């Protein structure tokens, strides 16, 4: 099987902050996608444990071993959870998908990307620093920027009304994007989801 296909993925990381006070915040988009994925799998398919300062779910998808991780270190120290788990399970950066929120994407938009900079996201910055590599796949979920007030307060709060509905729909699409990466590979997923987002924007 050619390099870069979905079956090479061994770890899916959803970024967020632990604690009920952050459960529905914009910054917890990654956690929400992991929860959406787990809810869609048959009961008992994945087993939860606590490793590398994370909630870790181990199971199989389409005949391959797969690990889902929700770091409990708080966002800015996400790399302190991801890097140790990768070392422990002998997982390479290119075998990892990281799901995060993105201030520079309009609310509800998705962007899939292979590698690149941290884009100002502290969770991604921490992971890149601790892994010593930026060569992991990204699923970015747009939350937009606040019209006023502090960015920190904005990302740690949730959407309301129509914004909440758009965000929930984006979480659903992000979970489907992850499944597409796993099943068909990153290139196919990028062509499908990035193109869909572009076309939707052009129609408006």
């Amino acid at each position: 099987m050619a390099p870069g296909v979905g079956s090479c993925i061994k770890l899916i990381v959803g970024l967020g902050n632990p604690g009920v006070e952050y459960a529905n915040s914009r910054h917890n988009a990654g956690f929400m996608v992991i929860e959406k994925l787990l809810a869609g799998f048959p009961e008992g398919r994945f087993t939860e444990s606590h490793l590398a300062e994370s909630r870790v779910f181990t199971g199989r998808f389409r005949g391959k071993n797969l690990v889902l991780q929700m770091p409990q270190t708080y966002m800015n120290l996400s790399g302190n959870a991801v890097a140790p788990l990768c070392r422990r399970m002998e997982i390479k950066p290119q075998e990892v998908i990281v799901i995060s929120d993105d201030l520079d994407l309009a609310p509800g938009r998705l962007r899939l990307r292979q590698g690149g900079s941290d884009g100002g996201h502290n969770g991604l910055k921490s992971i890149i620093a601790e892994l010593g590599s930026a060569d992991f796949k990204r699923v970015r979920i747009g939350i937009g920027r606040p019209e006023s007030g502090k960015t920190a307060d904005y990302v740690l709060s949730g959407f309301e009304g129509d914004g909440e509905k758009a965000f929930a729909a984006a979480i659903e699409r992000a979970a489907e994007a992850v499944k597409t990466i796993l099943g068909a590979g990153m290139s196919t997923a990028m062509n499908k989801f990035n193109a869909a987002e572009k076309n939707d924007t052009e129609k408006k």
Side-chain angles (χ1 to χ4, degrees):
M1 192 171 282
V5 295
S7 61
C8 76
I9 298 299
K10 296 181 180 178
L11 173 63
I12 302 170
V13 181
L15 299 186
N17 287 306
V20 294
E21 65 269 37
Y22 302 118
N24 296 311
S25 69
R26 296 170 174 89
H27 228 17
N28 274 33
F31 278 10
M32 294 176 193
V33 175
I34 295 294
E35 290 166 352
K36 181 68 66 174
L37 287 167
L38 289 168
F41 293 139
E43 187 175 354
R45 174 74 63 84
F46 282 78
T47 302
E48 182 176 0
S49 58
H50 190 88
L51 298 170
E53 297 185 78
S54 306
R55 292 180 67 191
V56 175
F57 304 85
T58 306
R60 293 177 69 80
F61 181 81
R62 295 194 175 187
K64 301 288 185 179
N65 292 333
L66 183 65
V67 180
L68 282 67
Q69 180 182 20
M70 298 169 67
Q72 302 294 292
T73 54
Y74 290 96
M75 184 68 78
N76 293 1
L77 298 176
S78 297
N80 291 358
V82 176
L85 188 66
C86 285
R87 288 194 294 268
R88 177 174 182 150
M89 296 189 166
E90 299 183 346
I91 296 173
K92 301 175 183 177
Q94 58 267 33
E95 297 171 330
V96 179
I97 300 171
V98 177
I99 309 162
S100 67
D101 62 300
D102 194 310
L103 284 161
D104 292 324
L105 287 175
R109 300 293 179 191
L110 294 185
R111 184 69 74 244
L112 278 59
R113 186 175 181 183
Q114 170 67 63
S117 71
D118 58 53
H121 192 286
N122 288 330
L124 296 178
K125 181 178 180 180
S126 176
I127 292 172
I128 292 170
E130 296 301 323
L131 283 180
S133 172
D135 192 25
F136 52 86
K137 297 165 178 61
R138 330 283 175 88
V139 174
R140 297 155 49 198
I141 301 167
I143 60 172
R145 288 188 176 275
E147 295 180 2
S148 62
K150 296 181 179 179
T151 299
D153 293 336
Y154 176 77
V155 299
L156 295 177
S157 61
F159 285 104
E160 297 179 353
D162 291 342
E164 184 177 11
K165 293 177 182 177
F167 189 51
I171 297 299
E172 188 81 42
R173 291 199 310 278
E176 288 303 316
V178 169
K179 290 179 183 178
T180 301
I181 296 171
L182 293 173
M186 189 65 176
S187 294
T188 297
M190 288 174 68
N191 288 337
K192 178 179 179 181
F193 289 90
N194 288 351
E197 296 293 320
K198 180 180 179 181
N199 291 339
D200 189 41
T201 299
E202 290 173 348
K203 291 176 183 177
K204 295 187 176 182

